[in-house]
Amino acid sequence: MNPYELRKDFPILNDETLCYLDTAASSLKPRQVIERLDEYYEKYGVNVHRGVYNLSYVATEMYEEARRKVSDFIHAKFDEIIFTRGASSALNLVASSYGLNHLTSEDEIIVSELEHHSQVLPWQNVSHITKAKLVYIPLDSEGRITVENVKKVLSNKTKVVAINYISNVMGYITPIKEIISLAHEVGAVVVIDAAQAAPHKTIDVVDLDCDFLAFSGHKMCGPTGIGVLFGKKKLLDNMPPIEFGGDMNDNVNLYDASWKDVPYKFETGTPPISEAIGLGAAIDYLLSIGLDEIGKHEFKLKEYTVKKLKEIEDIIIYNESAETGIISFNIEGVHPHDAVSYFDGDNICMRAGHHCAQLIIKWLNVVATLRVSFYLYNTIEDCDRFIESVRNARDFFKSVGF
Amino acid sequence: MNNLETLYRQVIMDHYKNPRNKGLVTNSLYKTIHIKNPSCGDDITIQTKVENGLIKDIRHDGTGCSICCSSASVMSETLKGKTITDAKKISSTYINMLTNQEYDTSVELEDAIVYQGVSKFPARIKCASIAWKAFEGTLEESE
């Protein structure tokens, strides 16, 4: 893959002074996706599943075609794909539907301090309501989830294991295949937060044998407002809807009603139609480049940048060994929000703060961190600009007395 | 040159490194307001003692970036000893200045004027205003 060519697909990068290093928060969007959104609004921007007229039929076909693209993308079956507002909604759906209806005070839910709030807070809520016990996997010295440490907390009481595929702060890849296999041995289901994985690596839910898996469109070149929940059909069939209204129902009586089949019973109201179609276009775009190529490219940029950062005084890197394109770091003695304004002044976009993952920030025992994350449109020149800015920022803050 | 330089070189670093009026008191004559910005971790508590329409004392404590912490110190120095009416006027003028709105340039902002530079960094306006907002909250409590 050639990032210099790919950059031309992203209208925002027409501004050559922009250095975008915050893909882990949201990726930039290519023309190929934006055009598909325009096409929907300009040519067939009507509702789905309802209209008995040709345009609505076209919109429905395009919306369902996007579902087929998503299912192929992760090797799932068509009716195992539920469209949601984002990865957060998808993870909440599992907790509210599966969690609240299957767990009791006798049960245990395994999570980790490496989770994004959208994976840990829904299960905290389930734990508060059902009195099921929330159990944390002890992280290893680098802050990783290891198979060995999962074994320490897994038991016959475990009913749910809810963990990330790739950490949004540390960029570590969790060995989920082995963990899923161990969890299944004790009869637990496994919920995977793949928001940071789907944009960067091939996912095969059959090979992984995972029970639920969630990701977002906007981190993988797609629009905002669309996410995906994959669930095994037999699990989804036995889960109640959590939102009720139009389109999800079958027969409606005065005092009861029945629901459509999966996935439609979980998709009430007018769905994010253009967003789903845009996600389909994003998947086409990523597949045309090759996910594993993208992952390799990001990792190469990360390795290069880490090596250079280590040559600068007062730089603390928290995840040197990450296998992906994420670097979490700080300038010693400088609050990340002071530092990030310096980078902003150089038109470098990056993240400072808790990254919606306060537990790992507390685990690291810092107030917050700086984070850069690379993607297919980043180049060695971006890395060099960033490294130069870090060097200048460090010198500047030390010179004014930090 | 990076615009930050002027901002930091002036009062900010002095107050960040040597904060005035820092540390909370246990005294029922003080009104206390705690404000937290969960997205970045800025966490500031302000205590104000009002007597006969005068701001007799302001205390602050908390954690955050240099702009957040220094502005709490500068605010306490600027507003201590002022009448409630003047303090409110200075505070609202300061907030208007930060947020690029029209403000009364005849109001004497003293050292707080250096935070004018923050208006060029919209993402940091919250950092520079959190202590002042908390102060305004303590006055509402006093009423």
Short mmCIF file of all heavy atoms in Angstrom, two decimals, chain B residues 41-86:
data_model
loop_
_atom_site.label_atom_id
_atom_site.label_comp_id
_atom_site.label_asym_id
_atom_site.label_seq_id
_atom_site.Cartn_x
_atom_site.Cartn_y
_atom_site.Cartn_z
N GLY B 41 -9.80 15.72 33.48
CA GLY B 41 -9.29 15.47 34.82
C GLY B 41 -9.07 16.74 35.64
O GLY B 41 -8.65 16.64 36.79
N ASP B 42 -9.32 17.93 35.08
CA ASP B 42 -9.22 19.14 35.89
C ASP B 42 -10.23 19.04 37.03
O ASP B 42 -11.38 18.67 36.82
CB ASP B 42 -9.53 20.40 35.06
CG ASP B 42 -8.38 20.79 34.14
OD1 ASP B 42 -7.29 20.22 34.29
OD2 ASP B 42 -8.58 21.67 33.29
N ASP B 43 -9.77 19.39 38.23
CA ASP B 43 -10.60 19.17 39.41
C ASP B 43 -10.29 20.29 40.40
O ASP B 43 -9.21 20.34 40.97
CB ASP B 43 -10.23 17.80 39.99
CG ASP B 43 -11.14 17.40 41.13
OD1 ASP B 43 -11.49 18.26 41.96
OD2 ASP B 43 -11.50 16.21 41.19
N ILE B 44 -11.21 21.24 40.55
CA ILE B 44 -10.93 22.46 41.33
C ILE B 44 -12.01 22.67 42.38
O ILE B 44 -13.21 22.53 42.10
CB ILE B 44 -10.86 23.69 40.39
CG1 ILE B 44 -9.61 23.63 39.51
CG2 ILE B 44 -10.91 25.01 41.16
CD1 ILE B 44 -8.31 23.95 40.22
N THR B 45 -11.58 23.03 43.60
CA THR B 45 -12.51 23.42 44.65
C THR B 45 -12.20 24.86 45.05
O THR B 45 -11.04 25.21 45.26
CB THR B 45 -12.38 22.50 45.88
OG1 THR B 45 -12.60 21.16 45.44
CG2 THR B 45 -13.43 22.85 46.94
N ILE B 46 -13.25 25.67 45.14
CA ILE B 46 -13.08 27.08 45.53
C ILE B 46 -13.90 27.34 46.79
O ILE B 46 -15.04 26.87 46.89
CB ILE B 46 -13.56 28.03 44.39
CG1 ILE B 46 -12.78 27.79 43.10
CG2 ILE B 46 -13.49 29.50 44.85
CD1 ILE B 46 -11.33 28.19 43.14
N GLN B 47 -13.30 28.08 47.74
CA GLN B 47 -14.01 28.48 48.95
C GLN B 47 -13.99 30.00 49.04
O GLN B 47 -12.93 30.62 48.86
CB GLN B 47 -13.35 27.90 50.19
CG GLN B 47 -13.46 26.39 50.29
CD GLN B 47 -12.83 25.89 51.57
OE1 GLN B 47 -11.74 26.29 51.94
NE2 GLN B 47 -13.53 24.99 52.25
N THR B 48 -15.14 30.58 49.34
CA THR B 48 -15.21 32.05 49.44
C THR B 48 -15.86 32.45 50.77
O THR B 48 -16.87 31.87 51.17
CB THR B 48 -16.06 32.62 48.28
OG1 THR B 48 -15.55 32.11 47.05
CG2 THR B 48 -16.01 34.15 48.26
N LYS B 49 -15.24 33.45 51.40
CA LYS B 49 -15.85 34.01 52.61
C LYS B 49 -16.31 35.44 52.29
O LYS B 49 -15.50 36.28 51.89
CB LYS B 49 -14.87 34.03 53.78
CG LYS B 49 -15.54 34.53 55.07
CD LYS B 49 -14.72 34.24 56.29
CE LYS B 49 -13.66 35.29 56.51
NZ LYS B 49 -13.08 35.23 57.88
N VAL B 50 -17.61 35.67 52.43
CA VAL B 50 -18.18 36.99 52.16
C VAL B 50 -18.60 37.63 53.49
O VAL B 50 -19.19 36.95 54.34
CB VAL B 50 -19.42 36.85 51.24
CG1 VAL B 50 -20.09 38.21 51.02
CG2 VAL B 50 -19.03 36.25 49.89
N GLU B 51 -18.25 38.90 53.68
CA GLU B 51 -18.64 39.61 54.90
C GLU B 51 -19.03 41.03 54.54
O GLU B 51 -18.24 41.75 53.92
CB GLU B 51 -17.45 39.65 55.87
CG GLU B 51 -17.72 39.04 57.24
CD GLU B 51 -16.44 39.01 58.06
OE1 GLU B 51 -15.87 40.09 58.34
OE2 GLU B 51 -16.00 37.89 58.39
N ASN B 52 -20.23 41.44 54.91
CA ASN B 52 -20.71 42.82 54.65
C ASN B 52 -20.50 43.24 53.19
O ASN B 52 -20.01 44.35 52.92
CB ASN B 52 -20.00 43.83 55.56
CG ASN B 52 -20.16 43.48 57.02
OD1 ASN B 52 -21.23 43.01 57.42
ND2 ASN B 52 -19.09 43.66 57.79
N GLY B 53 -20.83 42.35 52.28
CA GLY B 53 -20.74 42.71 50.86
C GLY B 53 -19.32 42.70 50.30
O GLY B 53 -19.10 43.07 49.14
N LEU B 54 -18.36 42.25 51.12
CA LEU B 54 -16.96 42.19 50.65
C LEU B 54 -16.49 40.73 50.55
O LEU B 54 -16.87 39.90 51.37
CB LEU B 54 -16.04 42.91 51.64
CG LEU B 54 -15.91 44.43 51.57
CD1 LEU B 54 -14.92 44.89 52.62
CD2 LEU B 54 -15.46 44.89 50.18
N ILE B 55 -15.62 40.47 49.54
CA ILE B 55 -14.98 39.16 49.43
C ILE B 55 -13.80 39.18 50.41
O ILE B 55 -12.75 39.74 50.10
CB ILE B 55 -14.47 38.89 48.00
CG1 ILE B 55 -15.53 39.20 46.94
CG2 ILE B 55 -13.93 37.47 47.88
CD1 ILE B 55 -16.71 38.29 46.91
N LYS B 56 -13.98 38.59 51.56
CA LYS B 56 -12.94 38.65 52.59
C LYS B 56 -11.80 37.67 52.29
O LYS B 56 -10.65 37.94 52.58
CB LYS B 56 -13.53 38.34 53.98
CG LYS B 56 -14.45 39.40 54.48
CD LYS B 56 -13.74 40.73 54.72
CE LYS B 56 -13.02 40.74 56.07
NZ LYS B 56 -12.49 42.09 56.36
N ASP B 57 -12.16 36.50 51.76
CA ASP B 57 -11.11 35.50 51.51
C ASP B 57 -11.56 34.54 50.41
O ASP B 57 -12.76 34.27 50.26
CB ASP B 57 -10.80 34.72 52.80
CG ASP B 57 -9.49 33.92 52.68
OD1 ASP B 57 -8.67 34.24 51.79
OD2 ASP B 57 -9.31 32.98 53.48
N ILE B 58 -10.59 34.05 49.64
CA ILE B 58 -10.85 32.99 48.66
C ILE B 58 -9.75 31.94 48.83
O ILE B 58 -8.56 32.28 48.88
CB ILE B 58 -10.82 33.52 47.21
CG1 ILE B 58 -11.88 34.61 47.01
CG2 ILE B 58 -11.06 32.38 46.22
CD1 ILE B 58 -11.82 35.27 45.62
N ARG B 59 -10.14 30.68 48.93
CA ARG B 59 -9.18 29.57 49.00
C ARG B 59 -9.43 28.65 47.80
O ARG B 59 -10.54 28.60 47.27
CB ARG B 59 -9.36 28.76 50.30
CG ARG B 59 -9.39 29.58 51.57
CD ARG B 59 -8.05 30.19 51.90
NE ARG B 59 -6.97 29.21 51.95
CZ ARG B 59 -5.68 29.53 52.06
NH1 ARG B 59 -5.31 30.81 52.13
NH2 ARG B 59 -4.76 28.60 52.11
N HIS B 60 -8.40 27.95 47.39
CA HIS B 60 -8.59 26.99 46.28
C HIS B 60 -7.71 25.78 46.49
O HIS B 60 -6.69 25.84 47.18
CB HIS B 60 -8.28 27.66 44.94
CG HIS B 60 -6.85 28.06 44.77
ND1 HIS B 60 -5.91 27.25 44.18
CD2 HIS B 60 -6.20 29.19 45.16
CE1 HIS B 60 -4.73 27.87 44.20
NE2 HIS B 60 -4.88 29.04 44.79
N ASP B 61 -8.12 24.68 45.87
CA ASP B 61 -7.29 23.48 45.85
C ASP B 61 -7.73 22.63 44.67
O ASP B 61 -8.85 22.80 44.17
CB ASP B 61 -7.42 22.69 47.15
CG ASP B 61 -6.17 21.84 47.40
OD1 ASP B 61 -5.24 21.88 46.56
OD2 ASP B 61 -6.13 21.13 48.42
N GLY B 62 -6.86 21.76 44.23
CA GLY B 62 -7.26 20.87 43.14
C GLY B 62 -6.08 20.43 42.31
O GLY B 62 -4.92 20.69 42.65
N THR B 63 -6.41 19.75 41.20
CA THR B 63 -5.38 19.25 40.30
C THR B 63 -5.78 19.59 38.88
O THR B 63 -6.97 19.71 38.58
CB THR B 63 -5.23 17.72 40.40
OG1 THR B 63 -6.52 17.14 40.21
CG2 THR B 63 -4.68 17.28 41.73
N GLY B 64 -4.81 19.72 38.02
CA GLY B 64 -5.11 20.00 36.62
C GLY B 64 -3.89 20.54 35.92
O GLY B 64 -2.78 20.52 36.46
N CYS B 65 -4.11 21.04 34.72
CA CYS B 65 -3.00 21.57 33.93
C CYS B 65 -2.59 22.93 34.49
O CYS B 65 -3.23 23.47 35.38
CB CYS B 65 -3.42 21.69 32.47
SG CYS B 65 -4.76 22.86 32.22
N SER B 66 -1.54 23.50 33.93
CA SER B 66 -0.99 24.75 34.46
C SER B 66 -1.98 25.90 34.30
O SER B 66 -2.06 26.77 35.16
CB SER B 66 0.32 25.09 33.76
OG SER B 66 0.08 25.32 32.39
N ILE B 67 -2.73 25.90 33.21
CA ILE B 67 -3.67 27.01 32.99
C ILE B 67 -4.79 26.95 34.02
O ILE B 67 -5.20 27.96 34.59
CB ILE B 67 -4.21 26.97 31.53
CG1 ILE B 67 -3.07 27.34 30.58
CG2 ILE B 67 -5.38 27.92 31.36
CD1 ILE B 67 -3.43 27.34 29.13
N CYS B 68 -5.27 25.75 34.29
CA CYS B 68 -6.34 25.57 35.26
C CYS B 68 -5.87 25.96 36.68
O CYS B 68 -6.51 26.77 37.35
CB CYS B 68 -6.78 24.11 35.21
SG CYS B 68 -7.87 23.63 36.52
N CYS B 69 -4.75 25.41 37.10
CA CYS B 69 -4.28 25.64 38.47
C CYS B 69 -3.84 27.09 38.67
O CYS B 69 -4.16 27.71 39.68
CB CYS B 69 -3.13 24.71 38.81
SG CYS B 69 -3.63 22.98 38.86
N SER B 70 -3.13 27.65 37.69
CA SER B 70 -2.66 29.03 37.86
C SER B 70 -3.83 30.00 37.86
O SER B 70 -3.83 30.98 38.59
CB SER B 70 -1.67 29.40 36.75
OG SER B 70 -2.31 29.42 35.50
N SER B 71 -4.87 29.72 37.06
CA SER B 71 -5.98 30.67 36.99
C SER B 71 -6.76 30.69 38.30
O SER B 71 -7.32 31.72 38.67
CB SER B 71 -6.90 30.37 35.80
OG SER B 71 -7.61 29.19 36.01
N ALA B 72 -6.75 29.58 39.04
CA ALA B 72 -7.40 29.58 40.36
C ALA B 72 -6.64 30.51 41.30
O ALA B 72 -7.24 31.30 42.05
CB ALA B 72 -7.44 28.16 40.93
N SER B 73 -5.32 30.46 41.24
CA SER B 73 -4.48 31.31 42.09
C SER B 73 -4.65 32.78 41.71
O SER B 73 -4.84 33.64 42.57
CB SER B 73 -3.02 30.86 41.94
OG SER B 73 -2.16 31.76 42.58
N VAL B 74 -4.61 33.06 40.40
CA VAL B 74 -4.74 34.44 39.92
C VAL B 74 -6.13 34.99 40.29
O VAL B 74 -6.26 36.13 40.75
CB VAL B 74 -4.52 34.51 38.39
CG1 VAL B 74 -4.91 35.89 37.84
CG2 VAL B 74 -3.07 34.19 38.05
N MET B 75 -7.14 34.16 40.12
CA MET B 75 -8.51 34.58 40.46
C MET B 75 -8.58 34.97 41.93
O MET B 75 -9.14 36.02 42.29
CB MET B 75 -9.48 33.44 40.13
CG MET B 75 -10.94 33.71 40.38
SD MET B 75 -11.44 33.36 42.08
CE MET B 75 -11.24 31.59 42.16
N SER B 76 -7.99 34.16 42.80
CA SER B 76 -8.08 34.43 44.24
C SER B 76 -7.38 35.76 44.57
O SER B 76 -7.90 36.55 45.36
CB SER B 76 -7.50 33.28 45.06
OG SER B 76 -6.09 33.20 44.87
N GLU B 77 -6.24 36.01 43.94
CA GLU B 77 -5.52 37.26 44.18
C GLU B 77 -6.29 38.47 43.65
O GLU B 77 -6.32 39.53 44.27
CB GLU B 77 -4.16 37.21 43.47
CG GLU B 77 -3.13 36.35 44.15
CD GLU B 77 -2.45 37.07 45.30
OE1 GLU B 77 -1.48 37.80 45.06
OE2 GLU B 77 -2.93 36.90 46.43
N THR B 78 -6.91 38.27 42.48
CA THR B 78 -7.60 39.39 41.83
C THR B 78 -8.86 39.79 42.60
O THR B 78 -9.17 40.98 42.72
CB THR B 78 -7.97 38.99 40.38
OG1 THR B 78 -6.81 38.48 39.74
CG2 THR B 78 -8.50 40.18 39.59
N LEU B 79 -9.58 38.83 43.12
CA LEU B 79 -10.91 39.14 43.65
C LEU B 79 -10.96 39.35 45.16
O LEU B 79 -11.94 39.88 45.69
CB LEU B 79 -11.91 38.03 43.25
CG LEU B 79 -12.07 37.83 41.73
CD1 LEU B 79 -13.11 36.75 41.45
CD2 LEU B 79 -12.47 39.13 41.03
N LYS B 80 -9.92 38.93 45.84
CA LYS B 80 -9.90 39.13 47.30
C LYS B 80 -9.95 40.62 47.64
O LYS B 80 -9.21 41.41 47.06
CB LYS B 80 -8.62 38.52 47.90
CG LYS B 80 -8.91 37.36 48.81
CD LYS B 80 -7.64 36.64 49.19
CE LYS B 80 -7.00 37.20 50.44
NZ LYS B 80 -5.95 36.27 50.95
N GLY B 81 -10.85 40.99 48.55
CA GLY B 81 -10.94 42.39 48.97
C GLY B 81 -11.90 43.22 48.14
O GLY B 81 -12.19 44.37 48.48
N LYS B 82 -12.39 42.64 47.03
CA LYS B 82 -13.34 43.38 46.20
C LYS B 82 -14.75 43.31 46.79
O LYS B 82 -15.05 42.40 47.58
CB LYS B 82 -13.37 42.77 44.78
CG LYS B 82 -12.04 42.81 44.03
CD LYS B 82 -11.72 44.21 43.52
CE LYS B 82 -10.56 44.25 42.56
NZ LYS B 82 -9.25 43.87 43.12
N THR B 83 -15.61 44.25 46.38
CA THR B 83 -17.03 44.12 46.74
C THR B 83 -17.63 43.02 45.88
O THR B 83 -17.09 42.69 44.81
CB THR B 83 -17.79 45.43 46.47
OG1 THR B 83 -17.78 45.66 45.06
CG2 THR B 83 -17.17 46.61 47.20
N ILE B 84 -18.75 42.48 46.33
CA ILE B 84 -19.42 41.44 45.54
C ILE B 84 -19.74 41.96 44.14
O ILE B 84 -19.51 41.26 43.14
CB ILE B 84 -20.72 40.98 46.25
CG1 ILE B 84 -20.36 40.21 47.52
CG2 ILE B 84 -21.57 40.11 45.33
CD1 ILE B 84 -21.56 39.67 48.26
N THR B 85 -20.23 43.19 44.07
CA THR B 85 -20.60 43.77 42.78
C THR B 85 -19.39 43.85 41.85
O THR B 85 -19.46 43.42 40.69
CB THR B 85 -21.16 45.20 42.98
OG1 THR B 85 -22.05 45.17 44.10
CG2 THR B 85 -21.88 45.69 41.74
N ASP B 86 -18.28 44.33 42.35
CA ASP B 86 -17.08 44.42 41.52
C ASP B 86 -16.56 43.04 41.12
O ASP B 86 -16.17 42.82 39.97
CB ASP B 86 -15.97 45.20 42.25
CG ASP B 86 -16.26 46.70 42.27
OD1 ASP B 86 -17.19 47.12 41.56
OD2 ASP B 86 -15.56 47.43 43.01
#
